[in-house]
Amino acid sequence: MSLLVVGSLALDTIETPFGRVENVPGGSATYISVAASYFVKPVRLVGVVGSDFPKDAMEFLESREVDLEGLQVVSGGKTFRWGGRYHYDMNTRDTLFTDLNVFEHFDPVIPESYRRTTYVCLGNIDPVLQKRVLEQIEKPRLVVGDTMNFWIKRRNAELKATMRLLDVLIVNDAEVRELTNEPNLIKAAKSIMGMGPRVVIIKKGEHGALLVTGNTIFSAPAYPLENINDPTGAGDAFAGGFIGWIAKTDDLSDDNLKRAVIHGSTLASFCVERFSLERLKDLNYIEILDRFREFRELSKFDEEIAV
Ligand code: AMP
């Protein structure tokens, strides 16, 4: 199976109560591809960077066997930059700046070798660009899409048009409320299901994630970590783990969607342990499986009452 990922590649400046980093590699496509690369090969990347995107970040993506044929490098251009600040409650963050730079005039061109890809993940990026990618490829088996408040505010109509083409929407709790004007998450998920996606996944930060399909509601816990340094990219690592597992197993049953949600939560939990891509860089598959199994123990209990 193959996976196509489109999204942002960024240089992030991040402040958390535990440190500050400047111009470190980030972006939705970066986190998604790296997380998914632990499950599926090839991961085909579509995006754009300027000539200032670090060579070692590019080499790292290549070392994870991420196909960069669809990555445009604009010579003399500046890479997308994003700045964020987290407080002690790491579920909320302030966006300090969003400089689109090379994304402003980006026109995704899908290489011939990408046109027949089984699975597609549309990472957080302008929904107009997400749609343009889908228009250039043969119909995939499953399209997963992500977005964020920035686009819900600025490109609402365009986002709704892209949503009609999605099978799975991944959003966080605040975003789904904003998208639907519905405070109750289950009602909000059902309202999204009337807009295109047949599966909705709502991320709730340190409170886990909710999977809603036509037949199932599944609540996954978050891994109870003691050391969280930087929540940036958790949502994207979640999406990468989720779609990576689906692409590896090629099974769209509700039971397998639940496993995929736990794999997403697993990759997100590793991502937040360190800044930028640092923790996702040195992972191995055994560690992923061990933590995946720990998730089962987290909410397993005995229904028998001892008398
Ligand atoms: P997450 O923490 O999973 O929501 O993703 C954070 C990543 O999204 C960061 O690495 C940012 O570079 C990237 N990002 C932030 N704002 C945007 C935006 N408006 N469009 C695309 N990517 C963004």
Side-chain angles (χ1 to χ4, degrees), residues 10-14 21-27 31 80-83 232:
L11 292 174
D12 290 341
T13 294
I14 301 156
V21 288
E22 213 168 308
N23 292 328
V24 292
Y31 283 107
F80 170 82
R81 276 171 172 72
W82 177 79
T232 308

Side-chain angles (χ1 to χ4, degrees), residues 197-219:
R198 55 191 161 84
V199 175
V200 181
I201 299 173
I202 302 175
K203 300 167 288 181
K204 299 184 292 170
E206 64 178 340
H207 304 298
L210 208 56
L211 165 76
V212 185
T213 77
N215 310 309
T216 295
I217 297 178
F218 174 64
S219 174

Side-chain angles (χ1 to χ4, degrees), residues 10-11 23-25 50-60 79:
L11 292 174
N23 292 328
V24 292
S51 35
D52 54 353
F53 195 69
K55 207 165 159 268
D56 53 354
M58 214 92 102
E59 284 168 0
F60 166 62
T79 298

